[in-house]
Amino acid sequence: MRLPLALLALIALGAAAGGAGREAGKVALAGRFSTPEQHRCNWELRPGAEASELWLSCRPAGGGATRSCAYRGEPQRCPAYGARSRQYWRQILGRLRRRRHPCARGSPLSARLCGPGRAPPEAQLRLMQGHGPATTPPAATAEPSRDPAETYCAERWHSLCSFFVGFWEG
């Protein structure tokens, strides 16, 4: 009985350590979040050579009309972005999660890494003109991931989460 338990522990430790060697700057390109007003939003990141776009598609909890929008900026102009791009996008998505209506006009989005005085204004993400309720980005039409590990676990824990989800599901 001890051997299977020890083997399980070794596999779990190996899976957790396996994520440490991954590329540090790798950023998720799509995902989901909910706002304080219970809007369910899908997001998709489209990094570009000069400017990056963040597409959102949000649906109210009651099932109203989907509202879509896009933010555009040049995060590469921020000196800290090159080494900590993953942290940059986490901070941007955190700001969007706290907004009651992410597609409503408001102040530009900026990460704490690239706040005032640390980066030029072009590094901020601004809501793009012409993207209203009728615009639907591909993230809203694409089938969301069915793998619970990708949805609910941080990227570096995917292998461990997948193992336990597979074990639980049989």
Side-chain angles (χ1 to χ4, degrees):
M1 188 64 167
R2 286 187 178 182
L3 181 62
L5 212 49
L7 186 60
L8 179 63
L10 284 174
I11 290 172
L13 288 174
R22 290 189 186 153
E23 182 183 333
K26 191 173 182 183
V27 177
L29 298 176
R32 293 182 244 173
F33 66 88
S34 295
T35 67
E37 296 289 320
Q38 299 304 312
H39 290 91
R40 289 182 176 82
C41 300
N42 292 324
W43 60 269
E44 179 183 356
L45 175 62
R46 295 180 180 176
E50 292 181 18
S52 296
E53 293 181 0
L54 182 64
W55 288 76
L56 295 176
S57 177
C58 298
R59 178 177 296 273
T66 299
R67 180 136 189 217
S68 301
C69 60
Y71 286 87
R72 183 181 177 96
E74 301 176 26
Q76 298 85 349
R77 291 191 169 219
C78 172
Y81 180 79
R84 298 190 286 182
S85 62
R86 186 176 178 142
Q87 184 178 2
Y88 174 89
W89 290 111
R90 280 186 184 165
Q91 290 176 2
I92 291 292
L93 289 169
R95 297 212 187 239
L96 281 171
R97 278 187 193 101
R98 288 189 293 273
R99 286 191 174 184
R100 292 179 180 263
H101 304 284
C103 288
R105 297 247 179 255
S107 60
L109 293 170
S110 65
R112 289 181 302 277
L113 285 173
C114 305
R118 296 182 187 158
E122 294 84 15
Q124 297 177 340
L125 297 179
R126 299 181 187 282
L127 190 62
M128 292 173 54
Q129 298 292 329
H131 291 277
T135 307
T136 304
T141 59
E143 184 66 29
S145 173
R146 296 283 182 204
D147 183 19
E150 287 182 17
T151 306
Y152 297 108
C153 299
E155 184 178 344
R156 68 183 209 187
W157 296 103
H158 281 209
S159 59
L160 184 61
C161 286
S162 294
F163 172 79
F164 285 113
V165 167
F167 181 77
W168 184 258
E169 292 178 346

